[in-house]
Amino acid sequence: MSVAKHHPPRAKATIICSRNDKVLLVRRKGAKWKFPSGVLAPGEAPIVAAARELWKALALHCSGLKAVGTVEVGNVLHHIFATDLPDSCSVVLGRGIVACKWACWEDLSSTMLKPTAAALLSRDLQELVHHDGRPQSVSAFNTN
């Protein structure tokens, strides 16, 4: 008789970067668009992983990351962060990223996004960002 092992969900830091009512999407070679994200290293704080991912993948230094909650999608627990990037901020592709783009929330569709990003989008991620582009203060954003 085999016993099924319970594996705890994998943890990722997922970052919603906004600018002028648009959100930043990234793409790896051969993949669909997604929000910037990175897997947490053992013992790593989610905000540290978010800052690390933005720096290594996009050469962005963000001191204004705001934790807005967690969302579990499949076997991945996403620690969601939001930040507003100024117009003067430039993005440099790195660490496996082949393209990035700014997209209006209204233009995002499940067909253009990776399944995980589409699942996050279906959980009202747009509510994290005011119409003026600044992150909202959300005390709890837990969805299962």
Side-chain angles (χ1 to χ4, degrees):
M1 176 175 159
S2 67
V3 176
K5 293 182 180 179
H6 173 71
H7 295 285
R10 196 167 43 128
K12 289 183 103 172
T14 300
I15 308 100
I16 308 301
C17 301
S18 60
R19 174 168 57 190
N20 300 328
D21 293 328
K22 294 184 178 182
V23 63
L24 181 65
L25 299 174
V26 297
R27 190 171 57 80
R28 295 186 184 280
K29 185 176 182 176
K32 291 185 175 186
W33 295 101
K34 68 176 195 150
F35 303 105
S37 64
V39 176
L40 274 66
E44 184 177 36
I47 195 160
V48 172
R52 172 184 43 81
E53 182 61 25
L54 286 178
W55 177 250
K56 287 187 174 182
L58 301 167
L60 291 173
H61 176 71
C62 292
S63 59
L65 287 171
K66 295 185 189 310
V68 294
T70 58
V71 176
E72 190 168 333
V73 176
N75 193 29
V76 178
L77 181 64
H78 293 266
H79 296 273
I80 308 291
F81 293 88
T83 188
D84 187 36
L85 299 175
D87 289 336
S88 61
C89 185
S90 62
V91 176
V92 178
L93 303 180
R95 200 168 145 224
I97 304 298
V98 297
C100 70
K101 71 177 179 177
W102 291 96
C104 293
W105 282 102
E106 305 81 45
D107 295 337
L108 298 181
S109 69
S110 60
T111 58
M112 73 181 287
L113 297 171
K114 287 187 71 168
T116 301
L120 288 170
L121 184 64
S122 73
R123 308 261 175 107
D124 294 326
L125 280 186
Q126 186 176 2
E127 297 302 316
L128 298 177
V129 181
H130 279 303
H131 64 280
D132 64 3
R134 284 180 294 194
Q136 292 184 29
S137 296
V138 178
S139 59
F141 182 69
N142 291 315
T143 310
N144 288 319

